[in-house]
Amino acid sequence: MTDSYTFHTPIGFLTIREEEQKLTKLFWEANSAQTMKNELHSDFLYEVYTQVNEYLTGRRNQFDVPLKYQGTQFQQSVWQELQKIPYGETRSYQEIAIGIGNGRAVRAVGQANNKNPIMIIIPCHRVIHKNGDITGFAYGVEVKQYLLELEKGMGLR
């Protein structure tokens, strides 16, 4: 059974979805008016909600929730590589491509980032261009900038 919850954060509304006590999606919700009516009725969703809020207030730098995501083998290898990027650090698209053993797959890494089903916890926001440019984030440059500044500037409180 799939369950979901949408909640307000400093970066807008986020929706979390779970299936069998595993997080399947965490995404930015563009239009949340109708989804805000749902209730948080799963202990697992409450735990994810709590951890995301702790992260967004600078009190958490690692997540401890089981994940379940679907994608191509390539996408999954990129998402696994993203999870190796330490809190407060960034990597270039090329570094991720090299990390998965295919240094020429820079554009494909960008496309896999764009398809990331579990933002923040699979930290696609930590991937930047070689020249330091932060464009190319599925949820907008402002959200990416916020997350990067949160991690670099605030650390754990």
Side-chain angles (χ1 to χ4, degrees):
M1 181 175 148
T2 301
D3 203 3
S4 67
Y5 180 67
T6 300
F7 57 103
H8 187 262
T9 72
I11 59 172
F13 290 93
L14 295 179
T15 295
I16 50 179
R17 285 199 185 129
E18 62 115 343
E19 185 178 312
E20 300 171 356
Q21 302 290 294
K22 292 184 179 154
L23 183 63
T24 59
K25 297 212 184 246
L26 170 55
F27 60 95
W28 188 77
E29 187 74 53
N31 183 5
S32 60
Q34 67 233 141
T35 57
M36 284 303 293
K37 296 175 189 167
N38 60 9
E39 293 182 29
L40 191 54
H41 45 69
S42 154
D43 290 342
F44 179 79
L45 283 180
Y46 181 75
E47 180 60 29
V48 175
Y49 164 81
T50 300
Q51 289 190 28
V52 170
N53 275 311
E54 288 172 351
Y55 166 83
L56 290 170
T57 56
R59 296 176 298 162
R60 174 176 290 275
N61 65 5
Q62 292 183 324
F63 294 92
D64 183 25
V65 293
L67 308 178
K68 178 183 178 181
Y69 46 81
Q70 295 182 354
T72 66
Q73 185 176 5
F74 179 83
Q75 289 170 332
Q76 290 187 33
S77 69
V78 169
W79 301 335
Q80 289 167 2
E81 190 69 18
L82 296 180
Q83 293 176 71
K84 297 176 185 176
I85 305 172
Y87 178 91
E89 295 185 21
T90 59
R91 299 290 183 269
S92 71
Y93 291 95
Q94 186 168 30
E95 288 173 311
I96 299 301
I98 291 167
I100 63 168
N102 189 348
R104 304 180 103 190
V106 175
R107 286 186 183 184
V109 165
Q111 291 170 345
N113 267 13
N114 190 39
K115 301 288 185 199
N116 175 11
I118 305 174
M119 72 177 290
I120 298 173
I121 295 175
I122 299 177
C124 55
H125 63 278
R126 296 181 188 154
V127 183
I128 61 173
H129 295 278
K130 260 194 316 191
N131 66 3
D133 186 7
I134 66 166
T135 59
F137 188 59
Y139 303 107
V141 174
E142 298 82 15
V143 172
K144 185 172 188 169
Q145 180 88 37
Y146 181 92
L147 296 173
L148 291 173
E149 287 179 7
L150 171 75
E151 291 186 13
K152 289 210 185 273
M154 300 184 69
L156 291 178
R157 293 184 193 172

